[in-house]
Amino acid sequence: MMNNKQWEVYCNYRDEYKKLCKEWNKFAEELRPLQIAAAAKDTPPYPLETAVVYNRLYDEITKDDRISLIVVGDNPGKEEQLLVNNKYLVGQSGRIAEGFFKRNPELNIDFRKNVVITNKTPVHTAKTNHLKYLLKNGSKDIQELLLVSQNKMAELTADLHQGLCEYSDNELTNVSLWLVGYSELKEKGIFKEYRKALLNKYKNQDGTFNEYWNRVFIYQHFSMNRFLIDLKEYSEKVTNDSLECNLQERINKLGWKHRDEILL
């Protein structure tokens, strides 16, 4: 469970996120035709119900819940934006992630109970690369929304992560931050603004990284089993190199490897 300070940190995150999503939904009328047009070339028609998606699961988290992990996806997809859901990672990618943690109980994480799931922007598109269409064809307001939302999400997520760690009762319960899906985090990617804002939140005034940076990891996305394939290949490599380590250690080392390759 969360102590009083951690609960305060979480509530501040949730309330600010909810306020921002409500504010950004004023662009829904302009966003919807852009989102439909972006999907038209490579996605079958689907009911577009929520242009900017707040994760309703945040309202179900209580002080008695244990938060062990923050997972940052890309942006809400087709299933996430449905009114019956309005929750993150509830499609195929989410089911793959949920299955991974169920099969590995030694990690002591229930994906649906111990994980705060967020995104690099709450603006919906059927596929992440459709955000490029919105940036290219949207008005200045839409372009600014996509940039500002990335900055805000990076700052809010970093504050949540660092706050939960700062007020943790012991080092063993420190929260990890996983960024899943990294191709668009590169310097010229869609999420370059998120990348820049996140790095700034973990840097000291002298340019060095703070103590919480060691709890930040980057992985392939859960979609198309890319996370599982990447972890399997890495595990085979370290085994062949006679570097014995358990699953948690392999996950950490892979996450640090990708983090340093992508962000530094």
PDB file of all heavy atoms in Angstrom, residues 121-151:
ATOM      1  N   THR A 121       1.497  10.667 -25.122  1.00  0.00           N
ATOM      2  CA  THR A 121       0.450  11.664 -25.353  1.00  0.00           C
ATOM      3  C   THR A 121      -0.888  10.953 -25.224  1.00  0.00           C
ATOM      4  O   THR A 121      -0.990   9.776 -25.606  1.00  0.00           O
ATOM      5  CB  THR A 121       0.566  12.344 -26.734  1.00  0.00           C
ATOM      6  OG1 THR A 121      -0.559  13.224 -26.925  1.00  0.00           O
ATOM      7  CG2 THR A 121       0.577  11.342 -27.859  1.00  0.00           C
ATOM      8  N   PRO A 122      -1.919  11.616 -24.691  1.00  0.00           N
ATOM      9  CA  PRO A 122      -3.236  10.994 -24.599  1.00  0.00           C
ATOM     10  C   PRO A 122      -4.068  11.159 -25.862  1.00  0.00           C
ATOM     11  O   PRO A 122      -5.224  10.739 -25.898  1.00  0.00           O
ATOM     12  CB  PRO A 122      -3.880  11.716 -23.414  1.00  0.00           C
ATOM     13  CG  PRO A 122      -3.287  13.077 -23.451  1.00  0.00           C
ATOM     14  CD  PRO A 122      -1.875  12.896 -23.957  1.00  0.00           C
ATOM     15  N   VAL A 123      -3.497  11.774 -26.897  1.00  0.00           N
ATOM     16  CA  VAL A 123      -4.220  11.966 -28.166  1.00  0.00           C
ATOM     17  C   VAL A 123      -4.297  10.630 -28.902  1.00  0.00           C
ATOM     18  O   VAL A 123      -3.279   9.995 -29.165  1.00  0.00           O
ATOM     19  CB  VAL A 123      -3.525  13.023 -29.047  1.00  0.00           C
ATOM     20  CG1 VAL A 123      -4.237  13.148 -30.401  1.00  0.00           C
ATOM     21  CG2 VAL A 123      -3.502  14.375 -28.339  1.00  0.00           C
ATOM     22  N   HIS A 124      -5.501  10.223 -29.236  1.00  0.00           N
ATOM     23  CA  HIS A 124      -5.718   8.936 -29.898  1.00  0.00           C
ATOM     24  C   HIS A 124      -5.360   8.968 -31.384  1.00  0.00           C
ATOM     25  O   HIS A 124      -5.600   9.952 -32.078  1.00  0.00           O
ATOM     26  CB  HIS A 124      -7.190   8.534 -29.774  1.00  0.00           C
ATOM     27  CG  HIS A 124      -7.623   7.550 -30.822  1.00  0.00           C
ATOM     28  ND1 HIS A 124      -7.230   6.219 -30.811  1.00  0.00           N
ATOM     29  CD2 HIS A 124      -8.370   7.717 -31.955  1.00  0.00           C
ATOM     30  CE1 HIS A 124      -7.743   5.607 -31.862  1.00  0.00           C
ATOM     31  NE2 HIS A 124      -8.435   6.486 -32.578  1.00  0.00           N
ATOM     32  N   THR A 125      -4.781   7.870 -31.860  1.00  0.00           N
ATOM     33  CA  THR A 125      -4.746   7.521 -33.289  1.00  0.00           C
ATOM     34  C   THR A 125      -4.780   5.997 -33.371  1.00  0.00           C
ATOM     35  O   THR A 125      -4.348   5.301 -32.442  1.00  0.00           O
ATOM     36  CB  THR A 125      -3.481   8.035 -34.019  1.00  0.00           C
ATOM     37  OG1 THR A 125      -2.310   7.651 -33.294  1.00  0.00           O
ATOM     38  CG2 THR A 125      -3.505   9.553 -34.177  1.00  0.00           C
ATOM     39  N   ALA A 126      -5.284   5.472 -34.466  1.00  0.00           N
ATOM     40  CA  ALA A 126      -5.377   4.018 -34.611  1.00  0.00           C
ATOM     41  C   ALA A 126      -3.993   3.370 -34.567  1.00  0.00           C
ATOM     42  O   ALA A 126      -3.818   2.287 -34.001  1.00  0.00           O
ATOM     43  CB  ALA A 126      -6.085   3.665 -35.914  1.00  0.00           C
ATOM     44  N   LYS A 127      -3.007   4.018 -35.158  1.00  0.00           N
ATOM     45  CA  LYS A 127      -1.618   3.577 -35.101  1.00  0.00           C
ATOM     46  C   LYS A 127      -0.761   4.771 -34.707  1.00  0.00           C
ATOM     47  O   LYS A 127      -1.068   5.911 -35.080  1.00  0.00           O
ATOM     48  CB  LYS A 127      -1.162   3.019 -36.454  1.00  0.00           C
ATOM     49  CG  LYS A 127      -1.930   1.774 -36.896  1.00  0.00           C
ATOM     50  CD  LYS A 127      -1.419   1.256 -38.228  1.00  0.00           C
ATOM     51  CE  LYS A 127      -2.176   0.006 -38.657  1.00  0.00           C
ATOM     52  NZ  LYS A 127      -1.697  -0.514 -39.963  1.00  0.00           N
ATOM     53  N   THR A 128       0.320   4.502 -34.018  1.00  0.00           N
ATOM     54  CA  THR A 128       1.150   5.604 -33.519  1.00  0.00           C
ATOM     55  C   THR A 128       1.657   6.494 -34.644  1.00  0.00           C
ATOM     56  O   THR A 128       1.672   7.723 -34.515  1.00  0.00           O
ATOM     57  CB  THR A 128       2.342   5.046 -32.716  1.00  0.00           C
ATOM     58  OG1 THR A 128       1.841   4.315 -31.588  1.00  0.00           O
ATOM     59  CG2 THR A 128       3.229   6.169 -32.220  1.00  0.00           C
ATOM     60  N   ASN A 129       2.063   5.885 -35.773  1.00  0.00           N
ATOM     61  CA  ASN A 129       2.626   6.710 -36.852  1.00  0.00           C
ATOM     62  C   ASN A 129       1.598   7.638 -37.495  1.00  0.00           C
ATOM     63  O   ASN A 129       1.956   8.531 -38.267  1.00  0.00           O
ATOM     64  CB  ASN A 129       3.332   5.862 -37.903  1.00  0.00           C
ATOM     65  CG  ASN A 129       2.405   4.892 -38.620  1.00  0.00           C
ATOM     66  OD1 ASN A 129       1.181   5.023 -38.582  1.00  0.00           O
ATOM     67  ND2 ASN A 129       2.983   3.906 -39.291  1.00  0.00           N
ATOM     68  N   HIS A 130       0.313   7.445 -37.186  1.00  0.00           N
ATOM     69  CA  HIS A 130      -0.713   8.365 -37.691  1.00  0.00           C
ATOM     70  C   HIS A 130      -0.591   9.753 -37.055  1.00  0.00           C
ATOM     71  O   HIS A 130      -1.153  10.720 -37.581  1.00  0.00           O
ATOM     72  CB  HIS A 130      -2.111   7.803 -37.414  1.00  0.00           C
ATOM     73  CG  HIS A 130      -2.419   6.558 -38.186  1.00  0.00           C
ATOM     74  ND1 HIS A 130      -3.535   5.796 -37.935  1.00  0.00           N
ATOM     75  CD2 HIS A 130      -1.759   5.935 -39.197  1.00  0.00           C
ATOM     76  CE1 HIS A 130      -3.559   4.753 -38.757  1.00  0.00           C
ATOM     77  NE2 HIS A 130      -2.475   4.818 -39.529  1.00  0.00           N
ATOM     78  N   LEU A 131       0.134   9.841 -35.951  1.00  0.00           N
ATOM     79  CA  LEU A 131       0.354  11.153 -35.341  1.00  0.00           C
ATOM     80  C   LEU A 131       1.087  12.088 -36.302  1.00  0.00           C
ATOM     81  O   LEU A 131       0.915  13.308 -36.247  1.00  0.00           O
ATOM     82  CB  LEU A 131       1.149  11.013 -34.036  1.00  0.00           C
ATOM     83  CG  LEU A 131       0.404  10.386 -32.852  1.00  0.00           C
ATOM     84  CD1 LEU A 131       1.381  10.096 -31.717  1.00  0.00           C
ATOM     85  CD2 LEU A 131      -0.717  11.303 -32.365  1.00  0.00           C
ATOM     86  N   LYS A 132       1.890  11.502 -37.188  1.00  0.00           N
ATOM     87  CA  LYS A 132       2.585  12.318 -38.184  1.00  0.00           C
ATOM     88  C   LYS A 132       1.595  13.039 -39.085  1.00  0.00           C
ATOM     89  O   LYS A 132       1.810  14.188 -39.474  1.00  0.00           O
ATOM     90  CB  LYS A 132       3.521  11.439 -39.032  1.00  0.00           C
ATOM     91  CG  LYS A 132       4.664  10.809 -38.265  1.00  0.00           C
ATOM     92  CD  LYS A 132       5.490   9.899 -39.160  1.00  0.00           C
ATOM     93  CE  LYS A 132       6.600   9.209 -38.394  1.00  0.00           C
ATOM     94  NZ  LYS A 132       7.377   8.259 -39.247  1.00  0.00           N
ATOM     95  N   TYR A 133       0.519  12.345 -39.424  1.00  0.00           N
ATOM     96  CA  TYR A 133      -0.523  12.956 -40.257  1.00  0.00           C
ATOM     97  C   TYR A 133      -1.166  14.127 -39.520  1.00  0.00           C
ATOM     98  O   TYR A 133      -1.406  15.188 -40.116  1.00  0.00           O
ATOM     99  CB  TYR A 133      -1.579  11.918 -40.622  1.00  0.00           C
ATOM    100  CG  TYR A 133      -2.664  12.436 -41.543  1.00  0.00           C
ATOM    101  CD1 TYR A 133      -2.544  12.301 -42.932  1.00  0.00           C
ATOM    102  CD2 TYR A 133      -3.794  13.069 -41.040  1.00  0.00           C
ATOM    103  CE1 TYR A 133      -3.521  12.788 -43.779  1.00  0.00           C
ATOM    104  CE2 TYR A 133      -4.785  13.554 -41.880  1.00  0.00           C
ATOM    105  CZ  TYR A 133      -4.650  13.408 -43.245  1.00  0.00           C
ATOM    106  OH  TYR A 133      -5.627  13.902 -44.092  1.00  0.00           O
ATOM    107  N   LEU A 134      -1.426  13.961 -38.246  1.00  0.00           N
ATOM    108  CA  LEU A 134      -2.029  15.040 -37.459  1.00  0.00           C
ATOM    109  C   LEU A 134      -1.100  16.247 -37.394  1.00  0.00           C
ATOM    110  O   LEU A 134      -1.544  17.398 -37.510  1.00  0.00           O
ATOM    111  CB  LEU A 134      -2.355  14.552 -36.048  1.00  0.00           C
ATOM    112  CG  LEU A 134      -3.715  13.883 -35.835  1.00  0.00           C
ATOM    113  CD1 LEU A 134      -3.887  12.637 -36.693  1.00  0.00           C
ATOM    114  CD2 LEU A 134      -3.913  13.538 -34.362  1.00  0.00           C
ATOM    115  N   LEU A 135       0.186  15.968 -37.217  1.00  0.00           N
ATOM    116  CA  LEU A 135       1.158  17.069 -37.159  1.00  0.00           C
ATOM    117  C   LEU A 135       1.264  17.807 -38.494  1.00  0.00           C
ATOM    118  O   LEU A 135       1.398  19.033 -38.534  1.00  0.00           O
ATOM    119  CB  LEU A 135       2.531  16.518 -36.776  1.00  0.00           C
ATOM    120  CG  LEU A 135       2.817  16.319 -35.295  1.00  0.00           C
ATOM    121  CD1 LEU A 135       4.096  15.519 -35.096  1.00  0.00           C
ATOM    122  CD2 LEU A 135       2.915  17.658 -34.575  1.00  0.00           C
ATOM    123  N   LYS A 136       1.188  17.046 -39.578  1.00  0.00           N
ATOM    124  CA  LYS A 136       1.351  17.639 -40.905  1.00  0.00           C
ATOM    125  C   LYS A 136       0.104  18.379 -41.360  1.00  0.00           C
ATOM    126  O   LYS A 136       0.200  19.450 -41.985  1.00  0.00           O
ATOM    127  CB  LYS A 136       1.698  16.549 -41.924  1.00  0.00           C
ATOM    128  CG  LYS A 136       1.914  17.063 -43.335  1.00  0.00           C
ATOM    129  CD  LYS A 136       2.286  15.938 -44.282  1.00  0.00           C
ATOM    130  CE  LYS A 136       2.466  16.444 -45.707  1.00  0.00           C
ATOM    131  NZ  LYS A 136       2.830  15.329 -46.637  1.00  0.00           N
ATOM    132  N   ASN A 137      -1.068  17.850 -41.049  1.00  0.00           N
ATOM    133  CA  ASN A 137      -2.304  18.392 -41.606  1.00  0.00           C
ATOM    134  C   ASN A 137      -3.173  19.157 -40.611  1.00  0.00           C
ATOM    135  O   ASN A 137      -4.147  19.799 -41.004  1.00  0.00           O
ATOM    136  CB  ASN A 137      -3.136  17.239 -42.197  1.00  0.00           C
ATOM    137  CG  ASN A 137      -2.433  16.569 -43.361  1.00  0.00           C
ATOM    138  OD1 ASN A 137      -2.428  17.062 -44.480  1.00  0.00           O
ATOM    139  ND2 ASN A 137      -1.815  15.415 -43.088  1.00  0.00           N
ATOM    140  N   GLY A 138      -2.830  19.085 -39.342  1.00  0.00           N
ATOM    141  CA  GLY A 138      -3.615  19.797 -38.342  1.00  0.00           C
ATOM    142  C   GLY A 138      -3.279  21.276 -38.305  1.00  0.00           C
ATOM    143  O   GLY A 138      -2.257  21.723 -38.825  1.00  0.00           O
ATOM    144  N   SER A 139      -4.148  22.034 -37.678  1.00  0.00           N
ATOM    145  CA  SER A 139      -3.915  23.467 -37.503  1.00  0.00           C
ATOM    146  C   SER A 139      -2.780  23.696 -36.514  1.00  0.00           C
ATOM    147  O   SER A 139      -2.263  22.752 -35.908  1.00  0.00           O
ATOM    148  CB  SER A 139      -5.183  24.139 -36.978  1.00  0.00           C
ATOM    149  OG  SER A 139      -5.462  23.685 -35.666  1.00  0.00           O
ATOM    150  N   LYS A 140      -2.425  24.956 -36.340  1.00  0.00           N
ATOM    151  CA  LYS A 140      -1.383  25.276 -35.362  1.00  0.00           C
ATOM    152  C   LYS A 140      -1.797  24.840 -33.959  1.00  0.00           C
ATOM    153  O   LYS A 140      -0.953  24.438 -33.159  1.00  0.00           O
ATOM    154  CB  LYS A 140      -1.078  26.780 -35.390  1.00  0.00           C
ATOM    155  CG  LYS A 140      -0.323  27.224 -36.630  1.00  0.00           C
ATOM    156  CD  LYS A 140       0.053  28.695 -36.552  1.00  0.00           C
ATOM    157  CE  LYS A 140       0.854  29.121 -37.778  1.00  0.00           C
ATOM    158  NZ  LYS A 140       1.230  30.562 -37.724  1.00  0.00           N
ATOM    159  N   ASP A 141      -3.087  24.920 -33.671  1.00  0.00           N
ATOM    160  CA  ASP A 141      -3.576  24.475 -32.362  1.00  0.00           C
ATOM    161  C   ASP A 141      -3.338  22.983 -32.161  1.00  0.00           C
ATOM    162  O   ASP A 141      -2.940  22.546 -31.076  1.00  0.00           O
ATOM    163  CB  ASP A 141      -5.071  24.779 -32.228  1.00  0.00           C
ATOM    164  CG  ASP A 141      -5.353  26.248 -31.993  1.00  0.00           C
ATOM    165  OD1 ASP A 141      -4.431  26.971 -31.575  1.00  0.00           O
ATOM    166  OD2 ASP A 141      -6.500  26.674 -32.229  1.00  0.00           O
ATOM    167  N   ILE A 142      -3.592  22.193 -33.204  1.00  0.00           N
ATOM    168  CA  ILE A 142      -3.392  20.749 -33.106  1.00  0.00           C
ATOM    169  C   ILE A 142      -1.912  20.424 -33.001  1.00  0.00           C
ATOM    170  O   ILE A 142      -1.503  19.557 -32.207  1.00  0.00           O
ATOM    171  CB  ILE A 142      -4.011  20.026 -34.319  1.00  0.00           C
ATOM    172  CG1 ILE A 142      -5.531  20.250 -34.346  1.00  0.00           C
ATOM    173  CG2 ILE A 142      -3.688  18.540 -34.287  1.00  0.00           C
ATOM    174  CD1 ILE A 142      -6.253  19.756 -33.120  1.00  0.00           C
ATOM    175  N   GLN A 143      -1.117  21.096 -33.785  1.00  0.00           N
ATOM    176  CA  GLN A 143       0.333  20.871 -33.716  1.00  0.00           C
ATOM    177  C   GLN A 143       0.867  21.211 -32.323  1.00  0.00           C
ATOM    178  O   GLN A 143       1.675  20.470 -31.758  1.00  0.00           O
ATOM    179  CB  GLN A 143       1.031  21.713 -34.774  1.00  0.00           C
ATOM    180  CG  GLN A 143       0.716  21.277 -36.201  1.00  0.00           C
ATOM    181  CD  GLN A 143       1.192  22.280 -37.239  1.00  0.00           C
ATOM    182  OE1 GLN A 143       1.822  23.282 -36.909  1.00  0.00           O
ATOM    183  NE2 GLN A 143       0.892  22.013 -38.499  1.00  0.00           N
ATOM    184  N   GLU A 144       0.383  22.306 -31.762  1.00  0.00           N
ATOM    185  CA  GLU A 144       0.815  22.700 -30.426  1.00  0.00           C
ATOM    186  C   GLU A 144       0.322  21.698 -29.379  1.00  0.00           C
ATOM    187  O   GLU A 144       1.040  21.366 -28.432  1.00  0.00           O
ATOM    188  CB  GLU A 144       0.300  24.094 -30.085  1.00  0.00           C
ATOM    189  CG  GLU A 144       0.802  24.607 -28.737  1.00  0.00           C
ATOM    190  CD  GLU A 144       0.375  26.029 -28.453  1.00  0.00           C
ATOM    191  OE1 GLU A 144      -0.261  26.654 -29.320  1.00  0.00           O
ATOM    192  OE2 GLU A 144       0.685  26.513 -27.346  1.00  0.00           O
ATOM    193  N   LEU A 145      -0.897  21.205 -29.551  1.00  0.00           N
ATOM    194  CA  LEU A 145      -1.442  20.205 -28.636  1.00  0.00           C
ATOM    195  C   LEU A 145      -0.546  18.968 -28.577  1.00  0.00           C
ATOM    196  O   LEU A 145      -0.244  18.455 -27.488  1.00  0.00           O
ATOM    197  CB  LEU A 145      -2.852  19.797 -29.076  1.00  0.00           C
ATOM    198  CG  LEU A 145      -3.436  18.531 -28.429  1.00  0.00           C
ATOM    199  CD1 LEU A 145      -3.605  18.729 -26.925  1.00  0.00           C
ATOM    200  CD2 LEU A 145      -4.757  18.167 -29.090  1.00  0.00           C
ATOM    201  N   LEU A 146      -0.104  18.492 -29.728  1.00  0.00           N
ATOM    202  CA  LEU A 146       0.722  17.288 -29.776  1.00  0.00           C
ATOM    203  C   LEU A 146       2.087  17.520 -29.120  1.00  0.00           C
ATOM    204  O   LEU A 146       2.650  16.606 -28.510  1.00  0.00           O
ATOM    205  CB  LEU A 146       0.901  16.826 -31.217  1.00  0.00           C
ATOM    206  CG  LEU A 146      -0.377  16.289 -31.872  1.00  0.00           C
ATOM    207  CD1 LEU A 146      -0.174  16.052 -33.355  1.00  0.00           C
ATOM    208  CD2 LEU A 146      -0.804  14.984 -31.203  1.00  0.00           C
ATOM    209  N   LEU A 147       2.608  18.714 -29.235  1.00  0.00           N
ATOM    210  CA  LEU A 147       3.898  19.020 -28.617  1.00  0.00           C
ATOM    211  C   LEU A 147       3.750  19.270 -27.117  1.00  0.00           C
ATOM    212  O   LEU A 147       4.503  18.724 -26.308  1.00  0.00           O
ATOM    213  CB  LEU A 147       4.533  20.242 -29.297  1.00  0.00           C
ATOM    214  CG  LEU A 147       4.833  20.090 -30.791  1.00  0.00           C
ATOM    215  CD1 LEU A 147       5.455  21.363 -31.339  1.00  0.00           C
ATOM    216  CD2 LEU A 147       5.751  18.909 -31.050  1.00  0.00           C
ATOM    217  N   VAL A 148       2.755  20.083 -26.750  1.00  0.00           N
ATOM    218  CA  VAL A 148       2.545  20.415 -25.338  1.00  0.00           C
ATOM    219  C   VAL A 148       2.164  19.175 -24.538  1.00  0.00           C
ATOM    220  O   VAL A 148       2.631  18.975 -23.407  1.00  0.00           O
ATOM    221  CB  VAL A 148       1.469  21.510 -25.194  1.00  0.00           C
ATOM    222  CG1 VAL A 148       1.038  21.664 -23.739  1.00  0.00           C
ATOM    223  CG2 VAL A 148       1.986  22.838 -25.727  1.00  0.00           C
ATOM    224  N   SER A 149       1.315  18.324 -25.116  1.00  0.00           N
ATOM    225  CA  SER A 149       0.884  17.131 -24.388  1.00  0.00           C
ATOM    226  C   SER A 149       2.068  16.212 -24.102  1.00  0.00           C
ATOM    227  O   SER A 149       2.138  15.595 -23.029  1.00  0.00           O
ATOM    228  CB  SER A 149      -0.209  16.384 -25.156  1.00  0.00           C
ATOM    229  OG  SER A 149       0.265  15.873 -26.393  1.00  0.00           O
ATOM    230  N   GLN A 150       3.008  16.113 -25.027  1.00  0.00           N
ATOM    231  CA  GLN A 150       4.204  15.304 -24.784  1.00  0.00           C
ATOM    232  C   GLN A 150       5.018  15.869 -23.617  1.00  0.00           C
ATOM    233  O   GLN A 150       5.463  15.120 -22.735  1.00  0.00           O
ATOM    234  CB  GLN A 150       5.082  15.261 -26.033  1.00  0.00           C
ATOM    235  CG  GLN A 150       4.512  14.441 -27.178  1.00  0.00           C
ATOM    236  CD  GLN A 150       5.482  14.379 -28.348  1.00  0.00           C
ATOM    237  OE1 GLN A 150       6.667  14.086 -28.168  1.00  0.00           O
ATOM    238  NE2 GLN A 150       4.992  14.646 -29.536  1.00  0.00           N
ATOM    239  N   ASN A 151       5.213  17.169 -23.622  1.00  0.00           N
ATOM    240  CA  ASN A 151       5.965  17.808 -22.540  1.00  0.00           C
ATOM    241  C   ASN A 151       5.294  17.590 -21.192  1.00  0.00           C
ATOM    242  O   ASN A 151       5.943  17.227 -20.205  1.00  0.00           O
ATOM    243  CB  ASN A 151       6.105  19.312 -22.812  1.00  0.00           C
ATOM    244  CG  ASN A 151       7.257  19.631 -23.740  1.00  0.00           C
ATOM    245  OD1 ASN A 151       8.413  19.580 -23.343  1.00  0.00           O
ATOM    246  ND2 ASN A 151       6.947  19.956 -24.968  1.00  0.00           N
TER     247      ASN A 151
END
